[in-house]
Each structure stands twice: as structure tokens, then as C-alpha cells.
């Protein structure tokens, strides 16, 4: 396997304000853009040629990754003028592929953090003779996902939309967002219009008698579509719960990038990341959180399971739990914010303006 497509065109609307100025795959996780982890894992699995299918804020990707040589890859970029969906995006980059019709092409969604055994998926594709092979994972509550039942040999039997009743939950297996396509299947996807692989390509292939193979791998899987999930994924990378050769340091309770400044009595735990140029003041406590570049956490602040955007500031003694602060925003001293609050980019919350408990 030497060739792959990475789908990175989504707008990341569920992640706003983190994605106001930054496409979702470029939001830092464990100290580097999340996309870096996917590229590094693909390279470790033997991929040499990667095509990025871009759309939203497409101009951001190439200046950062260039030709991919720093990661041992050759990267090309293809931009959609209008969003084409997963299948349309795959078809839109087909002209950049070098594979022969029967060769395998690896495809990733750009917002999934996974410990998938990529070589095992490739091997399953080859040994089964499938037209498309899918990474499947098992979830405790599958109601929010499309279900993918398989027979005893792993051959896909159906694609079922989100189940609404207990009777409709026929399996706990869901589509985990990584595939191996036979190159000729990519060329059969309609050109120039939106296509969903989940709702159109896969069901149509199944109806036509194609062989779709599922491989269950439930080692680690997380959809990073919400701020809460993104912060958790970054912490899990730092803690070593999911492997990545791109983590810029040793796994442990925290990751402090070289130009950050952390007070000697500040406490960083739970997979916290402190980005380049960021500052954490005296007595501050930061747990399971991401502090992006040039942000400031002032003395005595307590930040838990939160993301503090680039150049943002958290005031002294403020308490944030499950909060997402946009780039350049300011939370003044002595505030208390909780439970999914989102502070928009460049917003300003005055001193002691918001609390969930008494100020005494």
C-alpha cells in the first residue's frame, strides 16, 4: 500500500468557535495540527503518496505541510469549489492517483482519532478479494450512527440508517470512517456532483452485488466532531492511550511545548497541552485541557477539560470546566464558566461577570 486519500474538506461547524479561523483537521491536538497525527500514522503503515481532498479554508494546508517531505510523504492537494460529500470528494481527486484499476487505495476521514491497525485492514482487503473494505468499530449506544451488519465471514450485509427503536438495533457495529477501495470503484463514482459514500455509494454497490468487507477493530476510536471530544482526544494522545508518532514529546500527564512558560507551582495533569508561547501563571491548575499558542492562564485560575484558543486569556482565579474559548477572547478574573460554554473569538467577559455559584 503506497497511496491514500485523506478527506479534510469539512467546515467543522460543530466545533465552532475552534474552527472559525482554522479548518478542523488543523486545530492542534497534542501539540500539532490533528492532521499531522493521521499523516504520520499513514506513513508508518507504508503510505508514500497522499492526496488531501480540501475545501473549507483550503489555503491553510499546503503552506504548513508543503510537499510532505518532512513527514516522509509526497502530498498533493485538490480543492473542491463546492462541497461534494464524501463520495464526491473521493472521485474529485481520482486524477491524482497513480494506482492501477485493481490496486487498493486507502481512504481516511479527517476527523477520526483511531488506533486502527492499518496494515490489518489492508491485509483483510487483499485476502478477501473485496471491492471495498471498511473499518468497523463497536459502540455501546449505536443510536447516533449508521449500522453495518456483517455475516460470519465479515461480508457486509446492509447499511442501516440511525436506528430509532430497539428492534432496529441489529448490531453494535458502525462505520468507523476508514476504507480500502479498489481503484476501479473510485472511478465509478459519479463526477461533478455531491455523493455520499454512506448513503449512496455503499448501498448501490451492495445492491449491484459488489463485495464489501468489514473488519472490526475496536482498540480506540473517537469522532472529534465536538469540542468536548476534541479536547478529550488531545488528552488521550498525550496520555498515550492512542499511539501517534507525531506527538512532539514523551507521553505523560502533560505536554509543554518548548517556548511555553509554566510557573513552578502551577499544576498540569490529565493530558494537558501548553502550546508554543503560552503562559500558565502561579498557582494555576490545568487538567485535561489544551492551551493553544500564545494564550495566557493567569495566576490561580482553574481550567478543566477545556480548550483555550490562540492568544486568548483566562483571568486570575477564574474557574473553567468544559469550556471552549475562541482565539483572542478574554475571560476576565473571578468568573466561573461551566458545561459546554463557548466564548466566541475576540469576545471579552468582564471581571466577575458570570458565575454558577456564590462569590463568597
Amino acid at each position: 500500500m503506497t497511496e491514500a486519500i485523506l478527506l479534510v474538506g469539512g467546515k467543522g461547524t460543530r466545533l465552532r468557535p475552534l474552527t472559525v479561523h482554522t479548518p478542523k483537521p488543523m486545530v492542534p491536538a497534542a501539540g500539532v495540527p490533528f492532521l499531522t497525527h493521521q499523516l504520520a500514522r499513514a506513513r508508518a503503515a507504508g503510505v508514500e503518496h497522499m492526496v488531501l481532498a480540501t475545501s473549507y479554508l483550503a489555503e491553510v494546508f499546503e503552506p504548513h505541510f508543503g510537499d510532505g517531505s518532512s513527514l516522509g510523504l509526497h502530498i498533493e492537494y485538490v480543492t473542491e469549489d463546492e462541497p461534494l460529500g464524501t463520495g464526491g470528494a473521493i472521485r474529485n481527486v481520482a486524477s491524482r492517483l497513480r494506482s492501477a484499476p485493481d490496486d487498493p487505495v486507502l481512504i481516511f476521514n479527517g476527523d477520526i482519532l483511531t488506533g486502527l491497525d492499518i496494515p490489518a485492514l489492508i491485509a483483510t482487503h487483499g485476502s478477501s478479494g473485496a471491492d471495498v473494505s471498511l473499518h468497523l468499530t463497536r459502540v455501546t449506544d449505536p443510536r447516533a450512527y449508521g449500522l453495518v451488519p456483517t455475516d460470519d465471514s465479515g461480508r457486509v450485509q446492509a447499511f442501516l440508517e440511525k436506528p430509532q427503536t430497539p428492534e432496529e438495533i441489529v448490531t453494535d457495529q458502525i462505520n468507523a470512517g476508514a476504507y480500502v477501495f479498489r481503484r476501479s470503484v473510485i472511478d465509478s463514482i459519479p463526477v461533478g456532483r455531491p455523493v455520499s459514500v454512506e448513503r449512496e455509494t455503499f448501498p448501490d454497490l451492495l445492491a449491484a452485488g459488489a463485495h464489501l468487507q468489514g473488519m472490526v477493530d475496536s482498540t480506540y476510536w473517537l469522532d472529534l466532531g465536538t469540542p468536548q471530544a476534541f479536547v478529550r482526544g488531545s488528552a488521550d494522545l498525550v496520555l498515550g492511550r492512542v499511539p501517534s508518532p507525531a506527538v512532539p514529546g514523551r507521553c505523560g500527564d502533560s505536554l509543554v511545548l518548548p517556548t511555553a512558560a509554566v510557573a513552578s507551582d502551577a499544576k498540569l495533569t490529565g493530558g494537558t497541552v501548553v502550546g508554543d508561547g503560552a503562559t500558565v501563571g502561579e498557582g494555576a491548575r490545568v487538567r485535561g485541557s489544551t492551551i493553544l499558542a500564545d494564550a495566557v492562564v493567569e495566576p490561580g485560575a482553574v481550567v478543566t477539560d477545556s480548550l483555550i484558543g490562540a492568544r486568548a486569556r483566562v483571568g486570575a482565579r477564574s474557574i473553567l470546566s468544559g469550556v471552549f474559548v475562541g482565539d483572542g477572547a478574554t475571560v476576565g478574573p473571578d468568573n466561573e464558566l461551566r458545561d459546554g460554554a463557548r466564548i466566541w473569538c475576540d469576545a471579552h467577559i468582564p471581571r466577575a461577570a458570570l458565575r454558577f455559584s456564590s462569590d463568597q
Side-chain angles (χ1 to χ4, degrees):
M1 171 62 63
T2 60
E3 190 159 53
I5 298 169
L6 196 45
L7 304 175
V8 292
K11 291 185 176 180
T13 52
R14 290 184 298 157
L15 273 176
R16 289 168 69 86
L18 312 184
T19 52
V20 170
H21 303 302
T22 307
K24 177 166 51 176
M26 296 297 287
V27 177
V32 296
F34 173 68
L35 179 55
T36 311
H37 299 288
Q38 291 185 303
L39 293 172
R41 293 197 73 242
R43 181 67 192 93
V47 172
E48 297 173 358
H49 179 221
M50 177 72 72
V51 185
L52 297 190
T54 68
S55 179
Y56 176 64
L57 297 176
E59 67 277 6
V60 171
F61 295 93
E62 189 167 3
H64 185 89
F65 292 107
D67 63 3
S69 57
S70 63
L71 292 168
L73 290 164
H74 174 60
I75 298 178
E76 296 188 67
Y77 305 84
V78 179
T79 301
E80 304 166 26
D81 295 326
E82 297 291 335
L84 295 171
T86 48
I90 292 167
R91 183 64 179 89
N92 192 51
V93 307
S95 63
R96 302 295 182 91
L97 299 176
R98 304 165 182 172
S99 309
D102 285 334
D103 286 346
V105 178
L106 188 64
I107 299 174
F108 297 103
N109 279 339
D111 55 1
I112 301 295
L113 177 61
T114 176
L116 169 67
D117 186 339
I118 297 171
L121 180 63
I122 297 165
T124 295
H125 181 79
S127 63
S128 66
D131 297 295
V132 179
S133 297
L134 299 86
H135 170 208
L136 307 180
T137 192
R138 292 191 172 98
V139 294
T140 304
D141 183 0
R143 288 175 298 177
Y145 304 96
L147 308 186
V148 187
T150 56
D151 66 15
D152 291 342
S153 69
R155 188 159 181 161
V156 174
Q157 301 296 293
F159 290 90
L160 307 175
E161 282 304 306
K162 298 174 183 178
Q164 301 302 311
T165 66
E167 293 76 21
E168 292 177 300
I169 302 176
V170 298
T171 180
D172 60 357
Q173 296 175 176
I174 67 167
N175 177 0
Y179 320 109
V180 182
F181 273 62
R182 190 188 302 272
R183 166 62 194 272
S184 59
V185 174
I186 294 175
D187 292 334
S188 72
I189 297 173
V191 179
R193 68 169 177 84
V195 180
S196 165
V197 292
E198 300 87 354
R199 294 179 177 84
E200 181 176 346
T201 304
F202 292 157
D204 286 357
L205 284 169
L206 211 56
H211 181 175
L212 279 69
Q213 186 73 18
M215 188 197 82
V216 177
D217 181 323
S218 298
T219 49
Y220 181 101
W221 185 86
L222 186 64
D223 178 350
L224 300 183
T226 66
Q228 293 89 340
F230 199 96
V231 169
R232 179 179 143 207
S234 176
D236 284 347
L237 282 161
V238 174
L239 292 166
R241 292 173 178 165
V242 56
S244 171
V247 176
R250 302 178 69 175
C251 291
D253 241 9
S254 64
L255 174 65
V256 178
L257 271 61
T259 59
V262 177
S264 59
D265 63 345
K267 189 173 183 180
L268 310 178
T269 58
T272 287
V273 181
V274 183
D276 278 322
T279 302
V280 178
E282 294 84 355
R285 290 180 286 148
V286 186
R287 177 176 176 79
S289 299
T290 296
I291 314 299
L292 294 186
D294 301 314
V296 176
V297 176
E298 293 185 355
V302 179
V303 179
T304 305
D305 299 334
S306 299
L307 187 144
I308 311 303
R311 305 175 309 284
R313 179 177 289 268
V314 176
R317 299 171 302 282
S318 281
I319 300 171
L320 277 62
S321 180
V323 175
F324 311 100
V325 180
D327 296 343
T330 299
V331 177
D334 299 307
N335 283 289
E336 181 188 0
L337 305 174
R338 297 189 341 208
D339 300 336
R342 304 186 191 207
I343 314 304
W344 232 249
C345 298
D346 301 312
H348 178 82
I349 296 178
R351 173 189 294 268
L354 289 169
R355 295 195 68 83
F356 283 79
S357 61
S358 169
D359 62 348
Q360 299 299 312

